[in-house]
Amino acid sequence: MSNRLTGNEAVAYAMKQVNPDVMGAFPITPSTEIPEYFASYVANGEVNTEYVTVESEHSSMSVCLAAQAAGARSVCATSSCGLALMYELLYVAASCRLPVTLACVNRALSGPININNDHSDSMGARDTGWIQIYAENNQEAYDNFLMAMPIGETPSVRLPVMTCMDGFITSHAVENIDLLETDVVRKFIGEYNPENYLLKKENPLAVGPYDVSPYYMEHKVQEAEAMKAAKARILEVAAEFANISGRRYGLFEEYRMEDAQLALVLIGSSAGTAKAAVDKLREDGIKAGLVKIRVFRPFPGEELALALANTRAVAVMDKSEGFSANGGPLFAETRSALYDLKERPYLIDIVYGLGGRDIKVEDFEKVFGRLADIAVTGETGPVYTHMGQRSKEEIA
Amino acid sequence: MICAKDINERTPWQDLTPGGEIYEPGTARAFNTGAWRTHTPVFHPETCKHCMLCVPFCPDNAIPVKDGKRLDFNYMHCKGCGICENVCPFPAITMVSGGVAR
């Protein structure tokens, strides 16, 4: 069934089809509409979810992880400062191995205050132990949310999943979208049946105990192994999802990469614009391509290295500033992944689109122009630059 | 499923439960949480009528009961809060200064 929905509506609709047991609800721009739409489903009796309105995001995530520990399937939505306020509980959810599902609608983090899109919120949470899956458009936002639970709830994984989409660009723009039938969705996600949970009266359970130093590291190793195991499970679920939807997903999407010599690596909605630039350059015989990272945690390092192995020059496009003074977070991951290649492409990092700064096809063409120069001269020039800001100097 | 008593400092990570979950009750018995006291309750069994009012008031379950009678304090869990002395209708509990009753 086809419909015209915003990204937020699509995710709320996915939640309705899932009919979770509990939702911890607190509004924050631009994800506000998700709990708002969902409240109407609850009020109209379309779902039988326990909808818990709370006083902060710290509490909404607390509700979710407590419910999940009790044996319930819980969902949540947030953005920006809301995600930052959940920070402590993000670790608790992951380390207590509670597969909560969170729709993160990416928005810049303060300051100065800004409500528009970039990835600084979810990138700030990248090391909390949550699986992170990013969407390019409304369809992917819907699809990713449906795939989250079968991934996170797998016993070998048992990790919370954050499905991310770009605030306003994806969350508020209306697109045609293919929706699955609800019974198909229900069958796909299945029942949530954890082996142990707090409300199972025949097994007393202590969750989140004090973990002294002789045990803490062992539990972190378990968590790290679960994150590694998640990679195979993500692909398995994607294959199952292809069977019911006809839409195929990998850890990342390769666009015209077969013989690409110049490539971009990026995340999210900018991929659509970048694909237009790639198409334009291909018409001129320039071997351009792009890799759109879909799964950022676990990071598909080996796979990405293979995908980029035959390129000459690559620009990693970071939609968040990591303040490492050494490039953005996606650049750090990508450069690290490529280190083991015998012959590596030249690599540059371009931080762009902060706080909703627009990026156009021409901007991507400029980046490819820079890559073309690097491929010829072998000189990368400044490795880590910003793009789109007003400046007295011209770099790219 | 591994029991708490079988978990020790030589257990490899593969055998530990996910997230450190413990699948049995009462494991706090193995963990001394009592070294917080600045005041210590002293039990006077000769004046105690075993009304049991002190037992539910104790926030730390530090008053053991056996065969309908309260026993002496479990100092492994007692934090010395003094609620028991306050609720005792008889002079069967007195608080003394210091972490240890002398």
Side-chain angles (χ1 to χ4, degrees):
Chain A
M1 94 187 122
S2 181
N3 218 321
R4 284 180 293 279
L5 302 173
T6 66
N8 277 343
E9 225 173 337
V11 167
Y13 194 81
M15 283 179 179
K16 177 167 93 166
Q17 293 186 309
V18 167
N19 191 10
D21 299 306
V22 173
M23 180 178 203
F26 193 84
I28 180 165
T29 303
S31 67
T32 303
E33 287 179 338
I34 296 176
E36 197 177 349
Y37 282 119
F38 200 79
S40 68
Y41 301 144
V42 175
N44 297 339
E46 294 175 81
V47 290
N48 43 28
T49 304
E50 187 73 41
Y51 185 84
V52 189
T53 50
V54 289
E55 89 298 349
S56 79
E57 287 88 348
H58 190 275
S59 299
S60 69
M61 185 46 64
S62 300
V63 161
C64 285
L65 64 93
Q68 199 83 25
R73 190 178 245 159
S74 61
V75 299
C76 201
T78 198
S79 296
S80 185
C81 313
L83 189 70
L85 193 51
M86 285 179 184
Y87 187 72
E88 176 193 4
L89 287 320
L90 295 178
Y91 276 90
V92 178
S95 58
C96 289
R97 311 293 297 279
L98 300 167
V100 176
T101 308
L102 168 74
C104 173
V105 181
N106 286 114
R107 166 188 150 188
L109 262 174
S110 300
I113 298 168
N114 179 293
I115 62 163
N116 295 306
N117 169 245
D118 68 35
H119 298 154
S120 48
D121 49 2
S122 59
M123 283 297 155
R126 71 187 181 277
D127 297 339
T128 56
W130 282 60
I131 290 168
Q132 287 191 342
I133 305 176
Y134 289 79
E136 176 186 332
N137 50 40
N138 302 15
Q139 184 72 63
E140 291 185 10
Y142 171 78
D143 292 352
N144 287 347
F145 194 85
L146 293 180
M147 279 184 270
M149 289 169 191
I151 295 166
E153 291 168 4
T154 309
S156 60
V157 177
R158 270 193 69 177
L159 287 174
V161 184
M162 192 182 294
T163 65
C164 306
M165 67 167 136
D166 285 345
F168 295 110
I169 302 168
T170 309
S171 68
H172 283 61
V174 176
E175 283 186 334
N176 280 325
I177 173 167
D178 273 329
L179 299 170
L180 297 170
E181 298 296 336
T182 300
D183 54 342
V184 174
V185 169
R186 293 276 166 84
K187 198 162 163 248
F188 174 71
I189 60 162
E191 297 264 313
Y192 178 51
N193 279 321
E195 196 186 347
N196 299 288
Y197 52 92
L198 287 172
L199 294 184
K200 189 175 173 184
K201 67 177 191 306
E202 54 275 19
N203 75 323
L205 180 65
V207 176
Y210 178 45
D211 213 27
V212 288
S213 50
Y215 301 102
Y216 187 79
M217 188 155 173
E218 281 71 17
H219 288 127
K220 289 294 136 181
V221 173
Q222 283 185 340
E223 231 180 304
E225 290 297 319
M227 190 55 93
K228 287 187 208 166
K231 215 194 261 185
R233 182 59 187 150
I234 288 165
L235 292 174
E236 209 175 278
V237 171
E240 289 163 19
F241 189 77
N243 287 338
I244 59 164
S245 67
R247 295 185 289 277
R248 299 189 179 278
Y249 293 101
L251 300 169
F252 47 78
E253 180 191 335
E254 295 179 60
Y255 186 75
R256 306 194 82 163
M257 284 298 292
E258 314 79 52
D259 59 345
Q261 291 184 344
L262 315 176
L264 304 181
V265 176
L266 49 73
I267 292 176
S269 62
S270 320
T273 315
K275 284 171 186 173
V278 169
D279 289 344
K280 228 171 144 187
L281 293 166
R282 284 277 176 174
E283 277 171 25
D284 300 336
I286 297 162
K287 290 182 175 173
L290 112 87
V291 176
K292 179 187 83 193
I293 302 291
R294 173 173 176 260
V295 179
F296 185 73
R297 283 289 181 270
F299 193 75
E302 288 169 27
E303 297 83 352
L304 184 62
L306 277 178
L308 296 172
N310 296 317
T311 57
R312 294 267 299 147
V314 175
V316 180
M317 307 286 293
D318 266 293
K319 211 175 194 178
S320 67
E321 176 43 82
F323 302 112
S324 75
N326 197 36
L330 182 58
F331 181 61
E333 299 284 354
T334 307
R335 187 148 70 165
S336 157
L338 264 50
Y339 187 80
D340 291 329
L341 287 175
K342 291 252 182 320
E343 283 183 45
R344 295 185 285 268
Y346 297 106
L347 215 58
I348 57 167
D349 182 31
I350 297 173
V351 177
Y352 76 104
L354 302 184
R357 182 58 50 93
D358 207 6
I359 187 157
K360 301 189 286 288
V361 176
E362 303 89 87
D363 298 320
F364 283 113
E365 285 182 275
K366 268 190 206 170
V367 175
F368 275 114
R370 217 177 126 192
L371 291 180
D373 289 346
I374 292 169
V376 171
T377 61
E379 298 288 333
T380 45
V383 169
Y384 155 51
T385 55
H386 294 75
M387 189 173 94
Q389 73 279 21
R390 289 178 299 281
S391 172
K392 290 181 180 174
E393 314 157 0
E394 188 66 31
I395 296 171
Chain B
M1 234 160 16
I2 191 162
C3 294
K5 71 172 172 51
D6 299 320
I7 295 173
N8 58 55
E9 295 185 9
R10 286 180 299 281
T11 313
W13 69 265
Q14 289 91 345
D15 293 343
L16 291 180
T17 61
E21 286 173 348
I22 301 292
Y23 309 119
E24 61 197 273
T27 51
R29 284 189 202 102
F31 191 67
N32 186 1
T33 64
W36 295 61
R37 288 190 303 277
T38 57
H39 289 80
T40 301
V42 177
F43 180 47
H44 309 293
E46 65 285 355
T47 13
C48 178
K49 304 280 186 278
H50 301 280
C51 70
M52 301 295 165
L53 202 52
C54 56
V55 177
F57 271 95
C58 174
D60 285 290
N61 215 2
I63 303 174
V65 177
K66 202 182 171 194
D67 301 329
K69 303 213 160 190
R70 68 148 290 178
L71 309 180
D72 202 351
F73 287 100
N74 177 355
Y75 292 116
M76 255 178 91
H77 293 149
C78 172
K79 311 284 187 298
C81 69
I83 293 177
C84 54
E85 185 204 32
N86 247 299
V87 298
C88 179
F90 315 101
I93 301 166
T94 47
M95 298 299 290
V96 299
S97 289
V100 185
R102 282 174 223 279

